[in-house]
Amino acid sequence: MTCRAFFLGASLSLAIHCAVAGPTSVGKSGHGKSYGKDEDEPAIEIHVEIPEVSRNRVGVLANGGLGISAEILSNAFTKKSPTTPITQSEDADFALGGEIFYERILSADPSAQDLWGIRVGVGYSQVEMEDRHSGFDEFGQFFTLEHDFDADLIHANVGPCFERRFTDRFYGQASVGLTAAYIDADLETTHSAGFSAYEGDDEFLFGAYAQVALGYQVSSNWSLMAGIRYQYLDTFEIDNGISEVDLDFDSSYVVFAGVRWNF
């Protein structure tokens, strides 16, 4: 009984002492052991590197040109106008082609909503036109005159571009600049009387462009885009001895669609 009373008394005294003193902590005196952290000890900082937003973009576009017109002047005379050469106007066919381009973002913050940079594009398109004229010649004989024009057009566009992010995925872009182009053309004219003429010619043309496009970000690196471009170039002339063709780009424009990759 005495031992039990002594044990109960010692246990009660120890419990009261722990409740008053609180949990044991490490002090400068070194008494006891602590599993906590000293309030004066600086916290450990973990540095997380944030990747830089891409400044480089490359893309591939499929395009088609419209509005390219040609004026055809033929050294054939009709009975109605025996002293006036035949003059015709014809629109070229839908000019299919493609373009590859590179964009470099020059804005201080490439992750901003509004961006500006430089755009360079190199592309190819094929311009074709066929025309047929029928009538009576100056001697009253019925005749037909057929023109077949075919040209390969390689262009290079360079100019500043502006881009705005509408949402996390949608963006719009505008670009204007200068154009240099190389054209290699063939013109064949066939007369129903049994003679024909052929001429091939090439030339460098210069002009300017302006375009707008809309894009959709499919992933962090890939996006789809489509737009329209006004493409102005110098007039191109070719003469095969029977007919002369003046190719005019004053009203030409290009529709395009493709993909862009950021890296």
Side-chain angles (χ1 to χ4, degrees), residues 86-106:
I86 300 173
T87 302
Q88 304 163 255
S89 294
E90 183 73 20
D91 290 334
D93 297 336
F94 189 68
L96 293 175
E99 180 181 279
I100 58 174
F101 67 89
Y102 169 76
E103 297 170 355
R104 172 69 179 179
I105 300 302
L106 302 177

Side-chain angles (χ1 to χ4, degrees), residues 3-33:
C3 292
R4 181 185 297 178
F6 176 77
F7 178 75
L8 291 175
S11 300
L12 181 60
S13 176
L14 181 61
I16 294 174
H17 176 74
C18 292
V20 174
T24 303
S25 62
V26 174
K28 293 184 179 180
S29 61
H31 297 289
K33 185 177 181 180

Side-chain angles (χ1 to χ4, degrees), residues 34-55:
S34 172
Y35 295 93
K37 182 171 65 175
D38 192 347
E39 295 180 357
D40 296 333
E41 182 181 349
I44 299 176
E45 296 183 358
I46 301 176
H47 177 68
V48 178
E49 184 177 355
I50 300 175
E52 183 182 357
V53 178
S54 170
R55 290 182 177 271

